[in-house]
Amino acid sequence: MPNIKIFSGSSHPDLSQKIADRLGLELGKVVTKKFSNQETCVEIGESVRGEDVYIVQSGCGEINDNLMELLIMINACKIASASRVTAVIPCFPYARQDKKDKVGSRAPISAKLVANMLSVAGADHIITMDLHASQIQGFFDIPVDNLYAEPAVLKWIKENINEWKNCTIVSPDAGGAKRVTSIADRLNVDFALIHKERKKANEVDRMVLVGDVKDRVAILVDDMADTCGTICHAADKLVSAGATKVYAILTHGIFSGPAISRINNANFEAVVVTNTIPQEDKIKHCNKIQVIDISMILAEAIRRTHNGESVSYLFSHVPL
């Protein structure tokens, strides 16, 4: 493809390489380093004048450093006369801070701040996956393509769960009801949800199952799992309600703090995540974790965007 350059930030070089390989391109030359005072320095090692530039950087690991690195890379390409700069952000940082959660709250809406920072840095377009809240697209005044892992999830379920026709798709909270009903409809199976009450962040007080999972395979579906307290509690709830097996399928496997030990001790057949976040280190300590590769979806989105084509095909199909 002419007039296109793909650069990788330091958050997920493996995914960037898979995307470049899929497109038959080489990753652009970029050097990222830190000065002794921990300031981030980025040097773009080749001309981007008049090019269509894509920068792949996921919101994971050292999130603040990686976000700052992405902003500097965008700005470096923009002031070097790139014709268009697209930020490919598989896992959007600060996406959970998308609203004021209480009446009269003085909590920030940090996802909006990140949107402003990306725009001011010079991004012309954003490609991301499974935003925690779809209204984040409205925080931008530039085009945002929010891709979905759903087609890849459906493919994985059909290929790896023999009893999928006798399953129930379960949301671990009311906020994910739309996501699970969409998957359940496309599989033509039942769905359920778990109503949870929190006393404070990352701590669930009480859970109530709404729906039937008795003598069925239960598949928990969510957009992300951080400390995994919720999905592990949910797995226990589903087993006590009569589920024969419990799977968890998550787009973004953050797995911080006690997450891995909780998964190892929980009633899961498998915890399936995509590679929007690197999982190599997690897999070493937990054999229940399985990974769905979504690099082909992001690569196809880049190809279609570069060629001025629609990406809506990707909302219901996995590229071959």
Side-chain angles (χ1 to χ4, degrees), residues 3-303:
N3 302 111
I4 182 172
K5 292 280 174 74
I6 298 181
F7 294 97
S8 174
S10 55
S11 68
H12 200 345
D14 179 57
L15 178 62
S16 304
Q17 189 62 59
K18 283 179 175 168
I19 291 170
D21 290 346
R22 177 88 183 180
L23 292 168
L25 300 169
E26 289 190 10
L27 288 173
K29 297 182 179 66
V30 59
V31 177
T32 57
K33 59 186 179 183
K34 286 195 173 174
F35 294 122
S36 57
N37 66 350
Q38 298 304 300
E39 281 184 7
T40 299
C41 175
V42 175
E43 293 176 14
I44 306 296
E46 55 192 85
S47 173
V48 295
R49 182 176 294 274
E51 301 278 358
D52 190 11
V53 174
Y54 295 82
I55 300 170
V56 183
Q57 180 83 307
S58 201
C60 57
E62 299 288 337
I63 289 180
N64 295 335
D65 283 352
N66 289 336
L67 175 58
M68 196 67 206
E69 182 181 286
L70 173 60
L71 296 171
I72 294 171
M73 288 177 76
I74 291 169
N75 193 247
C77 291
K78 200 68 183 174
I79 61 176
S81 301
S83 68
R84 177 173 64 175
V85 179
T86 300
V88 182
I89 313 172
C91 180
F92 194 85
Y94 290 90
R96 284 178 286 182
Q97 297 182 42
D98 62 309
K99 61 183 181 296
K100 287 182 177 286
D101 49 0
K102 296 183 183 70
V103 176
S105 165
R106 284 173 288 279
I109 305 177
S110 303
K112 168 64 174 166
L113 174 61
V114 172
N116 289 345
M117 291 162 69
L118 289 164
S119 297
V120 170
D124 299 296
H125 181 207
I126 305 293
I127 296 175
T128 187
M129 179 165 275
D130 273 5
L131 283 171
H132 186 64
S134 56
Q135 73 260 21
I136 292 173
Q137 293 175 84
F139 294 172
F140 289 88
D141 292 323
I142 57 175
V144 177
D145 285 320
N146 181 28
L147 305 174
Y148 298 102
E150 182 180 297
V153 167
L154 291 166
K155 186 168 180 278
W156 189 93
I157 290 172
K158 290 177 179 177
E159 290 176 355
N160 294 276
I161 302 177
N162 294 329
E163 317 94 314
W164 68 266
K165 290 182 180 176
N166 184 38
C167 75
T168 301
I169 310 296
V170 186
S171 173
D173 55 34
K178 191 174 178 183
R179 184 180 296 106
V180 299
T181 52
S182 175
I183 291 174
D185 287 347
R186 291 178 68 177
L187 291 172
N188 196 26
V189 297
D190 291 340
F191 69 90
L193 64 85
I194 292 172
H195 173 67
K196 64 184 180 185
E197 295 174 359
R198 290 184 189 270
K199 284 187 175 175
K200 57 184 177 182
N202 288 344
E203 192 174 308
V204 177
D205 181 40
R206 194 167 72 95
M207 286 187 154
V208 180
L209 176 64
V210 183
D212 182 24
V213 296
K214 188 170 176 59
D215 300 325
R216 296 183 185 184
V217 173
I219 304 174
L220 279 161
V221 176
D222 207 355
D223 68 314
M224 64 171 61
D226 189 352
T227 57
C228 291
T230 299
I231 62 163
C232 291
H233 274 115
D236 293 340
K237 187 76 180 173
L238 293 169
V239 170
S240 65
T244 57
K245 293 179 182 176
V246 181
Y247 293 84
I249 303 182
L250 317 153
T251 305
H252 310 297
I254 300 169
F255 301 146
S256 63
I260 297 300
S261 63
R262 283 175 173 171
I263 292 171
N264 282 327
N265 296 325
N267 293 301
F268 289 116
E269 294 292 312
V271 175
V272 184
V273 295
T274 72
N275 59 341
T276 57
I277 293 173
Q279 299 297 342
E280 290 78 10
D281 291 343
K282 310 293 194 314
I283 292 170
K284 290 175 187 173
H285 301 100
C286 181
N287 59 12
K288 291 181 183 179
I289 296 174
Q290 297 184 33
V291 180
I292 299 172
D293 181 21
I294 47 81
S295 61
M296 75 287 287
I297 298 175
L298 294 168
E300 182 64 7
I302 290 171
R303 188 194 69 77

